[in-house]
Amino acid sequence: MQSDERVFLMGEDVGRYGGYFAVSKGFIDEFGPERIRDTPLSESAYVGAGIGAALAGMRPIVEITTANFSLLALDQIVDNAASYLYMSGGQFNVPLVIRMGTGGARQMGAQHSHSLEGWYAHIPGLKILTPATLADARGMLATALADPDPVLIFEHGTLYNMEGELAPDAGAVDISSASIRRAGRDVSIITYGATLWKALAAAETLAQDGIEAEVIDLRSLRPLDERTIVESVKRTHRAAIVDEGWKSGSISAEICARIVEAAFYDLDAPIARVCSAEVPMPYAKQLEDAALPQAETIVATVRSLVSHAGG
Amino acid sequence: MGEFRMPSLGADMAAGTLTRWDVKPGDHVNSGDTIGVVETDKANVEIEVFESGIVDRLIVQPGAKVPVGTPLALIRGEAEAPAKAPALVRASPMARRLAREYRLDLATIAGSGPHGVVERADVERVAKQAEVRPGPAAPVPPAAPAPQPPAPQPSEGAGMRRAIAAAMTRSNREIPHYYLETHIDFSNAQRALETINLRRSVKERLLPAALLFKAVATALAEVPELNGYWIDDEPHQSERINVGMAIALRQGGLVIPAIHDADAKSLDEIMEAMRDLITRARSGSMRSSDLVDSTITVTNLGDLGVESVYGIIYPPQLALVGFGKIVERPWAENGMIGIRPILSATLAADHRATDGHRGARFLSALERYILQVQPG
């Protein structure tokens, strides 16, 4: 915002309240109410306004508190933002960035806890980013703002509480490739967002049994970096996909299909998935924990795939 | 229950046509019996069964062209009850691929995965124990044999020409040959053969070729680095010495049946094997075991008056030995000149596997045998 006058932020309570997750705390004092705009409780209206502003040459960042509420703006996102470039024969780009919270584990109840990024990854014309690290959370926003087309950033709610040092030279990051966060030879654990940390913890536990898991952080769900996934599976011959979405019709289903299409004869075990229970996310902590993928469930699932530890 | 599969009758064979069954379900067969005939690009070959038992079922019907490795028939042991359907083998896709590359039968591999599923590690363990490696030009049989489109009828011998063309092109492209030649005084050998043959009827006489095959086998025992195959960027020495004999066919083309374990055979046994192979090659009734496992090839063009032959290695073998005509030449020895029968022996060898030094030792061992052969 300091370097580009065209960038402005709008959303519910981003201004005087400082954002529900304090993401924009103090911004209104620095940039003023013209550029940090509180909006009414009407997702369809202000996402539509963002699309209009983008078409008019601005670089709007629209914040939707949680992915659940984005459903109210689904028509704007899918039918307008994602479609204009195609429908105008390439004349109108929509340089819009939409940020939203996603995921559970915060006892927020079903209506605030769902992981819908996999749905949006179905839509051509959108880019779907899912930062898991501090550098990505910071850098992906810069990259998204530089993109001429609509980019949706799904920030997992539990990651807001993680602390870390940001490199002084942190800036825009590549959003077209997945990242191997841990190298391994026995199984590929494919994940993104907050479950990356559970997958890394699971990999540590598995390493004590001699099972070396490779952990892939997808970073972007659309476009999907199929090459990194497939090359990894061709090395390890086994794959487990960890996704906080529901199994049925999910991004994990898509990844399964791609692996089978591209690496069937390299598979030494069925592909496994660790996903959320197919229920609306429970409020009660024990039930919510049980419904979500956990490091222990990842460990158990991977063990069932790898019968030859260390082999 | 054993599956009898389409055998590979040469490194370049991908498929064969079953032309005839000589057995029917219920027949008793012994190991080594020929049970049918397969037509390859090269020849009609009588196929032998490798286990004794009772023919349970003929899977492939005469006239069908199927890839190497396709089950042709089921043979059950005497004690086994007639089979229902072959049991489904549970194996991972990776294990299936590896088993195919190693040419291992999945049904014979114990699976260590969940519910006995055969996994990659199981196949690799068995492959390691059996010391098999992925085949040289492993033909990958498709899941279901694709129906053969009607092809224009090739002229007789065209298929064999194509097969020879493929093998020789591959050899010239892939194998860096080196050539060595030596001339050997054949007078002692000639005398020895004359002494032996003097006591024999015409039918039982030994030909010089028998002595040459024996010489090659004996020299190989001394220089085993030339005996075997180049597979997967590595030389693989063969423990057995099966000398392949290049036999020209009257209608053109050639076949290379093997004289098995030639180092352990007497001159008479080699002569007998040669007669048998030549007769059968020319009448077109080679057996599968004749053609599959020669470890070196000998080409002998002496009959045709050629003095030296520089051959092309039959891949994936490591070497080829060529013999020319035995001709009378002035020969200097110990400061004296005499007229002697002289044999030209050449070696074409794979430079990846051996160097000229090794090749020279082979030729010198060969010469030593020929110079020292005893009449009886």
Side-chain angles (χ1 to χ4, degrees):
Chain A
M1 292 189 72
Q2 286 163 343
S3 62
D4 188 344
E5 286 290 315
R6 298 172 299 171
V7 176
F8 71 98
L9 172 69
M10 66 173 154
E12 293 161 19
D13 285 329
V14 298
R16 293 190 205 294
Y17 187 69
Y20 281 125
F21 305 114
V23 171
S24 51
K25 198 171 180 181
F27 279 30
I28 197 165
D29 299 331
E30 184 177 351
F31 299 105
E34 283 282 309
R35 296 185 69 195
I36 308 294
R37 302 175 78 104
D38 280 325
T39 61
L41 268 167
S42 177
E43 282 76 6
S44 184
Y46 67 77
V47 172
I51 292 169
L55 284 167
M58 301 297 281
R59 293 290 180 271
I61 303 169
V62 175
E63 186 179 303
I64 302 175
T65 317
T66 77
N68 293 78
F69 306 152
S70 74
L71 301 182
L72 292 156
L74 206 52
D75 174 63
Q76 294 292 4
I77 297 170
V78 176
D79 286 329
N80 292 331
S83 308
Y84 267 154
L85 182 65
Y86 295 81
M87 292 176 68
S88 67
Q91 293 181 79
F92 301 129
N93 292 87
V94 182
L96 170 72
V97 175
I98 302 177
R99 302 173 57 198
M100 53 187 121
T102 187
R106 292 165 296 146
Q107 280 196 272
M108 302 282 279
Q111 291 166 326
H112 300 77
S113 302
H114 288 154
S115 298
L116 303 179
E117 54 275 8
W119 281 10
Y120 286 101
H122 176 64
I123 311 295
L126 298 180
K127 290 193 179 69
I128 308 301
L129 307 184
T130 53
T133 66
L134 203 57
D136 274 359
R138 163 77 165 73
M140 282 182 176
L141 185 59
T143 314
L145 280 168
D147 198 292
D149 298 309
V151 179
L152 275 56
I153 306 178
F154 288 80
E155 299 168 7
H156 197 282
T158 60
L159 294 176
Y160 289 130
N161 292 328
M162 285 184 70
E163 289 184 7
E165 284 293 320
L166 199 59
D169 60 344
V173 296
D174 161 46
I175 56 167
S176 61
S177 60
S179 178
I180 294 175
R181 301 290 185 195
R182 185 187 205 282
R185 57 160 199 267
D186 295 326
V187 59
S188 302
I189 301 179
I190 300 154
T191 190
Y192 66 90
T195 44
L196 168 67
W197 303 99
K198 294 178 179 176
L200 287 169
E204 280 301 312
T205 308
L206 290 163
Q208 289 161 18
D209 293 355
I211 297 172
E212 292 297 335
E214 183 147 298
V215 179
I216 297 175
D217 176 6
L218 290 172
R219 302 177 72 233
S220 164
L221 304 191
R222 187 182 189 100
L224 198 58
D225 180 3
E226 182 176 318
R227 174 191 254 212
T228 297
I229 299 170
V230 168
E231 282 177 359
S232 172
V233 172
K234 283 187 171 176
R235 283 195 301 275
T236 64
H237 308 292
R238 301 178 181 90
I241 303 158
V242 184
D243 169 20
E244 225 179 273
W246 300 295
K247 255 186 197 178
S248 305
S250 61
I251 189 74
S252 64
E254 174 66 23
I255 295 165
C256 271
R258 303 252 192 139
I259 293 172
V260 171
E261 282 171 347
F264 181 75
Y265 286 107
D266 290 280
L267 286 174
D268 203 25
I271 303 170
R273 287 190 283 166
V274 183
C275 296
S276 287
E278 303 220 6
V279 293
M281 194 56 64
Y283 174 85
K285 180 163 192 323
Q286 293 89 335
L287 291 179
E288 192 182 36
D289 285 348
L292 287 166
Q294 303 294 352
E296 300 76 55
T297 40
I298 300 170
V299 167
T301 303
V302 168
R303 279 214 182 99
S304 74
L305 294 183
V306 183
S307 56
H308 306 280
Chain B
M1 183 75 56
E3 277 183 346
F4 178 77
R5 293 160 182 265
M6 174 62 76
S8 170
L9 303 166
D12 51 345
M13 172 173 165
T17 307
L18 179 82
T19 54
R20 189 178 84 211
W21 279 120
D22 293 334
V23 292
K24 56 186 187 304
D27 282 0
H28 183 271
V29 291
N30 285 316
S31 174
D33 285 357
T34 62
I35 64 169
V37 175
V38 163
E39 184 188 338
T40 70
D41 284 343
K42 290 186 179 148
N44 283 326
V45 177
E46 292 177 355
I47 47 179
E48 291 152 87
V49 67
F50 296 106
E51 60 187 304
S52 301
I54 290 162
V55 179
D56 191 79
R57 193 153 66 89
L58 301 177
I59 300 169
V60 169
Q61 298 309 310
K65 182 172 184 178
V66 294
V68 168
T70 306
L72 300 177
L74 292 178
I75 314 277
R76 79 182 128 89
E78 309 279 2
E80 281 181 78
K84 305 287 178 282
L88 178 74
V89 178
R90 294 168 66 89
S92 77
M94 182 75 196
R96 285 180 190 280
R97 197 186 78 192
L98 273 181
R100 202 162 54 216
E101 286 171 5
Y102 287 123
R103 301 188 192 203
L104 292 171
D105 182 0
L106 272 177
T108 64
I109 299 174
S112 66
H115 313 294
V117 167
V118 179
E119 296 183 339
R120 174 175 65 120
D122 301 318
V123 179
E124 284 175 345
R125 191 183 57 243
V126 171
K128 202 171 171 188
Q129 281 163 2
E131 289 185 343
V132 295
R133 292 174 174 277
V140 178
Q148 294 293 320
Q153 200 58 39
S155 63
E156 198 173 336
M160 173 179 284
R161 212 55 257 168
R162 265 200 308 279
I164 294 172
M168 293 302 106
T169 305
R170 179 180 157 208
S171 181
N172 244 2
R173 189 179 56 230
E174 292 178 8
I175 304 179
H177 290 63
Y178 68 84
Y179 290 100
L180 303 176
E181 177 173 14
T182 191
H183 292 94
I184 302 171
D185 178 356
F186 206 69
S187 42
N188 172 57
Q190 208 164 52
R191 269 195 305 276
L193 285 175
E194 278 164 8
T195 312
I196 294 167
N197 286 337
L198 222 80
R199 304 186 288 247
R200 296 189 173 196
S201 71
V202 175
K203 265 176 78 177
E204 291 170 330
R205 281 182 191 161
L206 289 180
L207 293 174
L211 199 137
L212 298 180
F213 282 111
K214 181 68 186 171
V216 168
T218 311
L220 278 180
E222 217 170 290
V223 188
E225 293 88 345
L226 294 170
N227 184 53
Y229 310 100
W230 183 269
I231 295 169
D232 281 347
D233 282 339
E234 279 185 278
H236 295 274
Q237 271 179 36
S238 168
E239 300 217 336
R240 297 180 67 186
I241 296 178
N242 303 329
V243 180
M245 170 171 50
I247 300 178
L249 300 178
R250 292 207 176 91
Q251 67 270 29
L254 74 161
V255 290
I256 306 175
I259 300 173
H260 291 111
D261 304 309
D263 54 324
K265 281 189 161 70
S266 69
L267 279 177
D268 282 325
E269 285 167 335
I270 287 182
M271 191 66 218
E272 190 188 317
M274 274 173 57
R275 280 208 181 90
D276 175 47
L277 290 176
I278 291 170
T279 313
R280 287 193 293 110
R282 302 223 156 122
S283 67
S285 63
M286 300 303 294
R287 291 194 199 110
S288 43
S289 60
D290 296 330
L291 295 174
V292 293
D293 55 3
S294 57
T295 55
I296 191 167
T297 298
V298 172
T299 181
N300 182 1
L301 293 182
D303 303 355
L304 300 170
V306 172
E307 280 192 33
S308 303
V309 45
Y310 300 96
I312 294 180
I313 298 168
Y314 180 49
Q317 290 176 9
L318 296 172
L320 177 138
V321 180
F323 292 114
K325 184 185 179 184
I326 298 163
V327 284
E328 291 203 324
R329 285 263 178 267
W331 185 260
E333 202 174 277
N334 296 328
M336 303 275 284
I337 289 182
I339 304 215
R340 304 269 180 90
I342 300 301
L343 165 75
S344 142
T346 54
L347 172 73
D350 187 335
H351 215 328
R352 295 171 300 181
T354 59
D355 305 319
H357 178 74
R358 197 64 48 185
R361 279 194 50 205
F362 169 80
L363 284 182
S364 108
L366 186 82
E367 178 177 30
R368 189 159 12 93
Y369 177 85
I370 290 171
L371 291 180
Q372 294 172 357
V373 64
Q374 299 297 318

